[in-house]
Amino acid sequence: MTAATHSTLFPQVPDSADAVLDGLDPEQREVATALRGPVCVLAGAGTGKTRAITHRIAYGVRAGILQPTTVLAVTFTNRAAGEMRGRLRQLGAVGVQARTFHSAALRQLQYFWPKAIGGAMPRLVDRKIQLVADAAAACRVRLDRGELRDVTAEIEWSKVTQTVPADYALAAAKAGRETPRDPAEIAQLYSAYEELKRGRGVIDFEDVLLLTVAVLQDRPDVAQQVRAQYQHFVVDEYQDVSPLQQRLLDLWLGDRDDLCVVGDASQTIYSFTGATPDHLLDFRLRHPGATVVKLVRDYRSTPQVVHLANGLLAQARGRAADHRLELVSQRPAGPEPVYTEYTDEPAEAEGAARRIRELVDSGVPPAEIAVLFRTNSQSEIYEQALADAGVPYQLRGAERFFDRPEVRKAGTALRAAARFGGNDALLDDTVDLPSQVRAVLSGEGWTTEPPAGSGAVRERWESLAALVHLAQDFAAAKPDATLGDLVAELDERAGAQHAPTVQGVTLASLHSAKGLEWDVVFLVGLAEGMMPITYAKTDEQIEEERRLLYVGVTRARERLHLSWALARSPGGRAGRRPSRFLDGLRPGSAGAAGGRLAAGGAGGVERGSSGRSALAPAPRRTQRAPARCRVCGRSLTDAGEMKLMRCEGCPSDMDEGVYERLLAWRAVQAERSGQPAFCVFTDKTLMAIAETVPDDERELSRIPGVGARKLTRYGADVLAICTGQEVDGADNGD
């Protein structure tokens, strides 16, 4: 398991500002050198966005354009902020602040509290769930542990969307939220929670942002002091910004516009927490003069993985889909994704474990393999399968199955029933082991039908349901087994799965896998009802599920395995079907692969203008087939081959004389601009021009690598060379 950019691969500190730019591709270089005014970087998965923005900051600092103490880079996790700080140190940009929104706001609030408010700052509570429980008690509302978590999540959502208790019911309905209790009741609990906090003199995590916003709004002198300190801002993962975070960012900026934001609307997967890609997609509307840079060169994944990722988004709908990026792999070809259908979930888990065992035996480190699933409740069956196969593993973003509170409590109840079952009225009408387990777990909250909505209540039910299904499988394998035998089996499994597995295969939910990558990824449970999840009802929810699968696909560097099961249990009714998201992509499925291309999917730069923005609504596009070799007709996925519009091995009809003159002209242009030669045109683009020998700007613009900006700047020279005219290398303007 590694981060999307590997911290151990940092180069030595560059010896000059210009050296900071070495190794950047043309689009990354545009990001790094665009140091004034608003900049929006649309960065696809694996395109080196962290590299681009850290080199941007470092170049500005090393060149003396930016003062390090005036730069604030903000992101969403402490891990990402720490990685950014480490990269900046390696690039010689010491003194730049890289923090999460909450960390930056907390520092400011602590510093200005005595001046702006007076007295000691209230204590910050780490976990608000006990306060919510106390608020429920004050309202005489009984909440179990799962409902406490869900109500707490609703309060958090309300605060980051700047919704007060009185407006909660209307706001929740407008947002289409599945509320865990009656909205009026949640509003009452929310109000009581806020009253309780004030009475106890404490604040919560969201209050840090709310109070910082309030201080900056109400005290112009404080806002002026903050703005004097920080003059240049960089925001990573901008698609995940909430309305409250955007409000804080606006107050930090004031009337200035030295802001660089980086994001990808196709990786918006946290809307349930209040995150919205609208701030990213509306950036040009708010900053008409912004420079927009698209990063689409994928350095992470093979062409085969990238092709699947592009195909997945090609079927997407909605606003985020209109601005998706068409990735172009920069890696050598790899194996095709493997699709596997299994009869049932245990067979799927055993099949994945068997393939992982083979990979480990062939030399693939376990830490470079991941199994990704939709919900944490799916982990247990893979934990067991990997343990049975002798493969070490580690869980990320979730408690081990047998460490979950509801599972521990259920185990205690089953143990008690096994010991004193003869005196337990719950077991009077039971006829076999599965019915005994269902009876016992019904007292812990298990029901025959899953609860509506998502969140903690659903996760708790799924944990108990996993125990019910485990009992059914155990009884099928051992018809004479007793409740005591099952308890012994659970104890044995719990003991085996607590073995140290630090260097093991990663088991993770798709949400917790964001920002990570592995050589080999197994995407499991890709059946309707799980992907998309059952409770995703609206078009917006379905599209977020598609984006979640896209995030999973783009975690893989080299190998990708996708699987689903036709039934939950052995012998069960095979009524499931593969995820609709795989239609047209997996072999033998209905529908055409590919689909319409991204709106402006190619990489490049667009500067502020009166024309249509790179972030403006895209016109409807007709379907276009994938790029094909003009010689043999094979589909092309390699970036270089797509530029040539032919396979590398197919015969070339290049005009050698034109190519040589283009090379000489490019060398003059590069020397005059002080840029590497590839920043003018790459070798492959020059080869494509020499093979096509265009007659006019229209033909020239169709060649991949010749964007609008380069056509304006170099088009006349290139066309003159193609017609045999003498060109002195003069720059034709920008």
Side-chain angles (χ1 to χ4, degrees):
M1 177 181 65
T2 58
T5 41
H6 207 305
S7 60
T8 60
L9 299 182
F10 290 158
Q12 295 298 312
V13 176
D15 57 10
S16 67
D18 288 341
V20 171
L21 303 178
D22 291 346
L24 299 182
D25 68 30
E27 291 78 32
Q28 291 172 344
R29 189 184 181 98
E30 288 283 356
V31 175
T33 55
L35 294 170
R36 295 297 186 190
V39 178
C40 179
V41 184
L42 302 177
T47 57
K49 67 179 179 65
T50 306
R51 177 181 177 82
I53 58 176
T54 51
H55 281 67
R56 177 184 190 271
I57 296 170
Y59 176 72
V61 170
R62 298 289 299 276
I65 301 170
L66 305 178
Q67 293 300 312
T69 56
T70 67
V71 180
L72 178 60
V74 289
T75 186
F76 284 83
T77 66
N78 289 321
R79 179 186 61 79
E83 181 185 355
M84 195 178 293
R85 287 193 295 269
R87 283 174 167 260
L88 290 169
R89 283 195 299 270
Q90 289 285 347
L91 293 169
V94 179
V96 174
Q97 292 291 313
R99 297 185 173 276
T100 64
F101 270 101
H102 283 87
S103 173
L106 181 59
R107 289 193 76 199
Q108 293 175 18
L109 193 62
Q110 290 170 330
Y111 182 81
F112 289 110
W113 188 278
K115 175 180 179 180
I117 299 173
M121 182 175 151
R123 179 174 63 87
L124 177 64
V125 292
D126 293 331
R127 297 178 71 250
K128 59 175 70 67
I129 197 163
Q130 185 57 53
L131 277 171
V132 176
D134 293 345
C139 295
R140 299 189 177 184
V141 174
R142 295 189 62 183
L143 300 176
D144 63 24
R145 186 185 63 85
E147 289 175 317
L148 273 174
R149 285 176 52 189
D150 289 344
V151 170
T152 300
E154 289 304 295
I155 291 174
E156 291 173 349
W157 173 81
S158 300
K159 298 183 79 165
V160 301
T161 56
Q162 303 176 85
T163 302
V164 298
D167 297 336
Y168 169 78
L170 181 61
K174 186 176 180 181
R177 294 185 72 80
E178 291 273 358
T179 58
R181 304 282 291 225
D182 181 85
E185 192 172 50
I186 294 177
Q188 179 190 14
L189 294 171
Y190 178 15
S191 180
Y193 169 80
E194 292 297 313
E195 288 272 353
L196 201 59
K197 279 198 298 102
R198 283 192 290 271
R200 296 182 182 180
V202 297
I203 60 175
D204 63 24
F205 208 47
E206 289 71 39
D207 288 331
V208 171
L209 299 185
L210 286 164
L211 289 168
T212 305
V213 165
V215 168
L216 294 175
Q217 285 181 159
D218 297 342
R219 292 292 299 267
D221 56 328
V222 172
Q224 184 177 3
Q225 193 171 341
V226 171
R227 291 166 191 161
Q229 169 70 51
Y230 296 116
Q231 300 169 22
H232 308 276
F233 297 86
V234 177
V235 184
D236 193 12
E237 302 289 2
Y238 194 56
Q239 78 278 353
D240 291 333
V241 166
S242 71
L244 179 56
Q245 289 164 332
Q246 180 63 49
R247 179 61 184 143
L248 178 59
L249 180 61
D250 290 340
L251 288 166
W252 282 341
L253 276 168
D255 58 1
R256 301 165 301 170
D257 64 358
D258 277 336
L259 170 65
C260 174
V261 301
V262 189
D264 180 9
S266 296
Q267 296 188 68
T268 304
I269 59 173
Y270 295 108
S271 65
F272 59 91
T273 67
T276 170
D278 289 346
H279 304 299
L280 175 68
L281 300 179
D282 291 338
F283 190 81
R284 178 61 74 81
L285 297 178
R286 302 178 67 189
H287 302 278
T291 296
V292 178
V293 185
K294 294 181 180 179
L295 304 183
V296 299
R297 302 172 196 254
D298 188 315
Y299 298 97
R300 176 189 299 160
S301 305
T302 63
Q304 286 73 17
V305 173
V306 166
H307 181 70
L308 175 58
N310 286 338
L312 188 62
L313 287 189
Q315 303 177 31
R317 296 294 180 266
R319 192 176 184 214
D322 287 339
H323 299 280
R324 64 190 177 276
L325 300 168
E326 190 87 2
L327 300 178
V328 182
S329 176
Q330 306 298 300
R331 296 197 56 187
E336 292 290 339
V338 176
Y339 299 84
T340 309
E341 183 174 274
Y342 292 95
T343 56
D344 52 66
E345 288 183 3
E348 183 179 10
E350 291 166 8
R354 184 169 55 253
R355 291 189 174 184
I356 290 170
R357 178 77 265 175
E358 293 169 355
L359 288 167
V360 172
D361 291 342
S362 71
V364 178
E368 290 299 342
I369 304 173
V371 179
L372 306 182
F373 33 74
R374 176 61 180 85
T375 67
N376 289 330
S377 64
Q378 294 170 269
S379 70
E380 191 270 341
I381 194 171
Y382 289 93
E383 294 173 49
Q384 184 61 45
L386 289 172
D388 291 345
V391 177
Y393 65 88
Q394 56 184 327
L395 280 171
R396 178 179 177 84
E399 299 164 296
R400 289 181 181 276
F401 180 80
F402 287 103
D403 281 348
R404 296 172 191 165
E406 63 269 21
V407 175
R408 295 170 69 91
K409 189 177 178 184
T412 300
L414 290 170
R415 187 171 290 104
R419 184 176 301 175
F420 307 112
N423 299 318
D424 193 336
L426 275 174
L427 303 182
D428 286 349
D429 298 325
T430 59
V431 296
D432 55 15
L433 176 59
S435 62
Q436 289 177 331
V437 171
R438 288 194 294 268
V440 173
L441 296 187
S442 64
E444 302 300 321
W446 178 81
T447 56
T448 55
E449 294 296 325
S454 59
V457 171
R458 177 76 182 215
E459 290 177 6
R460 183 173 183 267
W461 181 89
E462 287 173 340
S463 294
L464 297 177
L467 290 175
V468 170
H469 290 293
L470 181 62
Q472 293 170 345
D473 297 341
F474 187 66
K478 298 182 177 182
D480 298 329
T482 66
L483 195 54
D485 294 332
L486 176 64
V487 170
E489 171 72 9
L490 292 174
D491 289 342
E492 184 178 339
R493 289 183 176 221
Q497 292 170 3
H498 286 173
T501 54
V502 176
Q503 293 301 316
V505 171
T506 299
L507 297 176
S509 70
L510 288 166
H511 280 101
S512 63
K514 179 79 164 59
L516 303 172
E517 62 183 51
W518 297 267
D519 286 344
V520 187
V521 169
F522 287 77
L523 295 174
V524 300
L526 302 183
E528 283 290 309
M530 192 58 74
M531 179 53 68
I533 199 75
T534 304
Y535 49 77
K537 303 294 186 184
T538 67
D539 291 343
E540 293 80 5
Q541 291 168 338
I542 294 294
E543 287 306 318
E544 181 144 337
E545 292 287 298
R546 187 194 305 276
R547 295 194 295 270
L548 190 57
L549 180 56
Y550 172 78
V551 167
V553 167
T554 55
R555 300 310 95 194
R557 296 192 197 104
E558 298 173 4
R559 299 171 185 262
L560 186 61
H561 295 258
L562 305 95
S563 64
W564 58 92
L566 298 178
R568 176 185 286 274
S569 304
R573 187 174 69 87
R576 294 177 173 179
R577 62 176 295 268
S579 169
R580 72 191 74 174
F581 298 147
L582 301 181
D583 291 347
L585 300 176
R586 61 184 176 86
S589 62
R596 55 194 177 108
L597 294 175
V605 184
E606 181 182 337
R607 307 194 188 281
S609 66
S610 59
R612 186 177 70 83
S613 164
L615 296 174
R620 290 188 175 274
R621 292 180 174 249
T622 56
Q623 289 192 349
R624 290 176 54 185
R628 296 188 179 278
C629 174
R630 54 191 168 83
V631 180
C632 70
R634 183 180 70 85
S635 293
L636 303 176
T637 56
D638 177 75
E641 292 182 343
M642 290 173 71
K643 280 195 173 183
L644 294 175
M645 292 306 294
R646 65 171 174 81
C647 302
E648 196 75 56
C650 285
S652 168
D653 54 357
M654 181 174 68
D655 186 318
E656 297 287 350
V658 169
Y659 183 61
E660 292 299 325
R661 291 196 296 276
L662 286 170
L663 285 175
W665 166 83
R666 183 182 68 172
V668 173
Q669 292 292 332
E671 183 177 358
R672 289 184 176 180
S673 65
Q675 294 182 322
F678 70 79
C679 290
V680 180
F681 285 118
T682 64
D683 289 347
K684 287 287 174 58
T685 299
L686 293 187
M687 291 175 66
I689 294 171
E691 290 184 356
T692 307
V693 191
D695 292 325
D696 53 35
E697 286 192 354
R698 185 178 179 183
E699 287 187 20
L700 179 59
S701 68
R702 291 175 177 170
I703 296 174
V706 182
R709 177 171 168 269
K710 291 189 177 183
L711 184 66
T712 301
R713 186 169 187 173
Y714 302 125
D717 280 7
V718 171
L719 291 172
I721 292 171
C722 288
T723 58
Q725 300 177 38
E726 291 294 327
V727 176
D728 63 4
D731 193 334
N732 292 311
D734 198 350

